[in-house]
Amino acid sequence: DTEVTQTPKHLVMGMTNKKSLKCEQHMGHRAMYWYKQKAKKPPELMFVYSYEKLSINESVPSRFSPECPNSSLLNLHLHALQPEDSALYLCASSLREGHYEQYFGPGTRLTVT
Amino acid sequence: GENVEQHPSTLSVQEGDSAVIKCTYSDSASNYFPWYKQELGKGPQLIIDIRSNVGEKKDQRIAVTLNKTAKHFSLHITETQPEDSAVYFCAASRDSGGSNYKLTFGKGTLLTVNP
């Protein structure tokens, strides 16, 4: 089973709202990733968690706040977003951080109004 | 940092033909090269990868070749089918020896297989 699940599939939020994206995997992977993907572009790395600790933050604005409560779960908390933050948010996981296959979830399509 | 160029940006083939997508990379220390397929409305799916200790890898109708001297790698799809229609991304990364690991993606190729 190489499944990464993400909820919700779609999310519409206003600029003053607070919402969260959720990602889950049960493959025993200890590295989890958040990517942002705009239309017709490749995914852009936002955050990497390794063994539930934040390993990489790609200079992401503080209105995006990641959290890794346990080895299976990854959240992305959203607050005071801008319309330009509208995108597909992808979660991925791999066995370990490094040269291991990354498996992506289906993504959450976020629209900020 | 690493830079990955991918060509062509769009590719249209007839069902049953072969399709080839090419990528070049800039960092000679890169040694892991995955390919992802992304269908409309879905997340990227890893379809094949290659590491720098091999020159070619096959999995049924898909194959990847790597030329480390020229710093390029290619995806080959034979006997294409309409369900192969998708956006394909190549990527490259290197082992920095520490905890920093990033995939650098190409810009993607939209493959259309016409029945």
Side-chain angles (χ1 to χ4, degrees):
Chain A
D1 181 15
T2 56
E3 189 177 27
V4 175
T5 60
Q6 290 187 244
T7 54
K9 288 193 72 172
H10 302 276
L11 179 63
V12 179
M13 60 185 291
M15 289 189 283
T16 57
N17 290 159
K18 283 185 181 182
K19 296 285 184 184
S20 296
L21 310 184
K22 180 179 171 181
C23 172
E24 202 161 0
Q25 57 85 16
H26 295 285
M27 296 178 277
H29 289 178
R30 302 311 296 270
M32 296 185 77
Y33 310 77
W34 279 116
Y35 287 84
K36 174 182 177 179
Q37 186 178 29
K38 301 283 264 185
K40 300 185 189 297
K41 299 287 187 184
E44 297 174 40
L45 184 65
M46 299 175 72
F47 303 103
V48 181
Y49 272 83
S50 180
Y51 288 87
E52 296 93 70
K53 287 186 170 31
L54 185 64
S55 173
I56 296 176
N57 175 344
E58 289 286 292
S59 303
V60 178
S62 60
R63 58 186 185 268
F64 295 91
S65 175
E67 178 196 21
C68 190
N70 59 57
S71 60
S72 300
L73 196 55
L74 185 67
N75 298 320
L76 186 63
H77 303 296
L78 315 171
H79 173 56
L81 295 193
Q82 304 296 311
E84 58 265 29
D85 296 322
S86 298
L88 181 68
Y89 287 85
L90 294 161
C91 174
S93 72
S94 64
L95 187 61
R96 302 284 185 272
E97 189 181 9
H99 282 180
Y100 297 98
E101 296 85 351
Q102 284 191 29
Y103 297 95
F104 283 82
T108 292
R109 175 72 61 190
L110 174 68
T111 303
V112 181
T113 61
Chain B
E2 174 66 279
N3 182 49
V4 176
E5 300 278 343
Q6 182 172 347
H7 298 281
S9 57
T10 62
L11 179 59
S12 182
V13 300
Q14 289 300 121
E15 183 176 359
D17 287 351
S18 295
V20 180
I21 303 170
K22 298 182 179 182
C23 289
T24 60
Y25 60 98
S26 60
D27 186 349
S28 56
S30 288
N31 53 8
Y32 175 61
F33 307 94
W35 285 88
Y36 285 88
K37 173 185 180 183
Q38 188 171 23
E39 296 174 86
L40 199 60
K42 296 186 178 181
Q45 175 194 2
L46 178 67
I47 56 171
I48 196 166
D49 57 11
I50 192 167
R51 297 174 195 271
S52 61
N53 57 340
V54 296
E56 183 176 1
K57 185 176 177 181
K58 280 186 179 180
D59 183 3
Q60 298 183 351
R61 295 187 297 108
I62 60 173
V64 57
T65 58
L66 170 66
N67 183 328
K68 281 222 79 181
T69 304
K71 290 192 281 189
H72 68 71
F73 57 111
S74 300
L75 178 72
H76 304 253
I77 306 174
T78 58
E79 300 171 28
T80 54
Q81 300 166 4
E83 50 265 39
D84 294 328
S85 296
V87 177
Y88 291 80
F89 291 102
C90 64
S93 77
R94 64 184 179 100
D95 181 359
S96 67
S99 63
N100 290 325
Y101 159 79
K102 285 172 57 174
L103 283 175
T104 300
F105 287 89
K107 292 189 175 181
T109 296
L110 174 62
L111 173 65
T112 303
V113 180
N114 302 300

